[in-house]
């Protein structure tokens, strides 16, 4: 039996890097948001043993360096299952793009294996397995808008932000996340740039998130409303869209401080998105994907055309609420 899963990508709505911890990870605070852009994963289990990864994209590793490969063993153990696991990856997301493509692929394999064996692993155990394979995996067990703490693996579902038009620019630059973290440390970025310690910055970032979250809990969510309508409402006072509230907290992605100086062409991409009318544009994760959020699909399509004209691959998509994520994942 084979199971097909859509493996949706994520963007980071702000990412604050904290101190390097004794375990080699950095503390971080981020809001993850799933988007409709996805790879397709097919999982089949045959007689025998072993793991085989098939993918036409030569950049995708077929060995244990692939997160899909690494999740099979703990998943099979949790399911009490045996067999030869064949994973086919239809790659559409950029490799090392900061969109969580590899992490999402691995979670898709975990969910597919449950279906193949018609057995459920408890939610808590799935979280353990996912977090053990990589910091960016657990968010894909929630989908929608997700608060990421710890080293990114400690995730909390947030009330969903309304679905908005989104443009993903994918410059052909491959960025290693561990290297980006190491570069951040080498720069001594927080201390030099803001004259505050990493812990101070984390505290500040935490307070901003907390203020935003308290706004969310005061029932300001207008689910299902078109963002354009909300933008119009801005003239009448405080916008009620929680995404705009988040943007107004001054959220930033700290990785921009290390990645942009190394690849100045990325700054230009962000500028094109802003000039094309994005109400927020940012590097996603450690990049090199840059996204822009737009008030309408038309505006997003115009931005895509501008980016392509300037030689940057780009696609228009939308953010996915938790409900949309789970509805479309096995469709
Ligand atoms: O968890 P993941 O496998 O994605 O992490 C890869 C590497 O990225 C880690 O070994 C670490 O060097 C770095 N990292 C980090 N802080 C994080 C997440 C990842 O330093 N919060």
């Amino acid at each position: 039996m084979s199971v097909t899963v859509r493996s949706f990508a994520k963007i980071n709505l702000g990412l604050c890097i904290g101190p390097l911890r004794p375990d080699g990870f950095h503390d971080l605070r981020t809001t993850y948001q799933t988007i409709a852009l996805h790879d397709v994963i097919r999982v089949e289990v045959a007689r025998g043993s072993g793991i085989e990864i098939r993918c036409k994209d030569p950049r995708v590793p077929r060995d244990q360096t692939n997160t899909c490969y690494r999740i099979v063993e703990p998943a099979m153990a949790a399911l009490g299952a045996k067999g030869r696991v064949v994973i086919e990856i239809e790659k559409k997301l950029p490799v090392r793009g900061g969109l969580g493509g590899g992490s999402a692929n691995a979670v898709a394999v975990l969910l597919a294996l449950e279906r193949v064996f018609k057995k459920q692993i408890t939610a808590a155990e799935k979280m353990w397995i996912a977090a053990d394979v990589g910091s960016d995996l657990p968010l894909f067990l929630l989908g929608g808008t997700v608060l990421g703490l710890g080293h990114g693996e400690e995730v909390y579902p947030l009330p969903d932000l309304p679905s908005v038009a989104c443009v993903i620019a994918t410059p052909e630059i491959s960025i290693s996340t561990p290297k980006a973290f190491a570069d951040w440390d080498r720069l001594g970025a927080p201390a030099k740039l803001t004259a505050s310690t990493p812990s101070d910055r984390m505290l500040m970032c935490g307070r901003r998130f907390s203020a935003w979250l308290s706004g969310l809990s005061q029932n300001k969510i207008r689910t299902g409303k078109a963002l354009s309508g909300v933008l119009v409402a801005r003239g009448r006072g405080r916008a009620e869209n929680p995404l705009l509230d988040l943007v107004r907290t001054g959220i930033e992605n700290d990785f921009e401080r290390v990645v942009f100086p190394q690849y100045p062409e990325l700054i230009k991409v962000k500028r094109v998105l802003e000039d094309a009318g994005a109400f927020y544009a940012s590097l996603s994760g450690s990049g090199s994907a840059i996204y822009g959020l737009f008030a309408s699909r038309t505006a997003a399509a115009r931005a895509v055309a501008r980016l392509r004209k300037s030689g940057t691959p780009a696609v228009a998509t939308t953010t996915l609420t938790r409900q949309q994520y789970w509805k479309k994942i096995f469709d």
Side-chain angles (χ1 to χ4, degrees), residues 57-280:
D57 189 328
R59 295 167 306 171
V60 175
R62 321 284 149 95
D63 58 10
Q64 61 274 23
T65 58
N66 189 316
T67 45
C68 284
Y69 193 106
R70 291 211 304 276
I71 206 159
V72 170
E73 202 183 293
M76 294 290 271
L79 288 162
K82 285 195 169 64
R84 174 175 182 74
V85 180
V86 182
I87 303 163
E88 203 180 315
I89 305 172
E90 208 180 294
K91 199 36 96 186
K92 293 184 229 163
L93 301 172
V95 176
R96 288 178 155 191
L99 298 175
S103 304
N105 289 175
V107 170
V109 168
L110 177 62
L111 299 174
L113 285 171
E114 280 190 310
R115 286 226 162 178
V116 167
F117 292 103
K118 297 188 176 63
K119 271 190 185 174
Q120 294 253 311
I121 305 170
T122 65
E125 199 174 354
K126 275 190 288 214
M127 279 289 177
W128 277 108
I129 293 171
D132 211 38
V133 174
S135 313
D136 272 359
L137 271 72
L139 84 104
F140 293 108
L141 288 170
L142 298 179
T145 311
V146 176
L147 182 66
L149 305 179
H151 53 86
E153 92 297 1
E154 193 186 324
V155 288
Y156 300 92
L158 292 177
D160 266 324
L161 299 174
S163 187
V164 299
C166 175
V167 171
I168 308 288
T170 52
E172 272 144 23
I173 295 170
S174 164
I175 292 171
S176 148
T177 302
K179 183 179 174 299
F181 274 114
D183 289 345
W184 171 266
D185 292 336
R186 253 192 303 278
L187 263 181
K192 273 190 203 147
L193 291 167
T194 63
S196 60
T197 67
S199 310
D200 286 344
R201 296 183 62 264
M202 288 299 270
L203 205 61
M204 190 180 71
C205 187
R207 283 186 186 137
R208 281 184 184 167
F209 270 132
S210 160
W212 173 61
L213 286 171
S214 77
L216 284 183
S217 62
Q218 283 160 26
N219 264 340
K220 288 211 212 83
I221 296 161
R222 295 164 43 142
T223 43
K225 296 259 173 168
L227 186 70
S228 48
V230 178
L231 284 170
V232 171
R234 192 152 55 151
R236 295 199 298 267
R238 191 168 185 273
E240 289 176 52
N241 186 293
L243 184 51
L244 288 176
D245 283 347
L246 177 61
V247 167
R248 289 204 196 96
T249 63
I251 55 161
E252 281 175 18
N253 179 347
D254 281 343
F255 277 122
E256 290 189 352
R257 293 185 180 177
V258 280
V259 173
F260 281 180
Q262 288 174 28
Y263 303 100
E265 58 269 45
L266 297 182
I267 304 172
K268 286 190 199 141
V269 174
K270 181 169 167 175
R271 220 162 272 153
V272 173
L273 284 163
E274 286 169 344
D275 290 348
F279 64 86
Y280 185 69

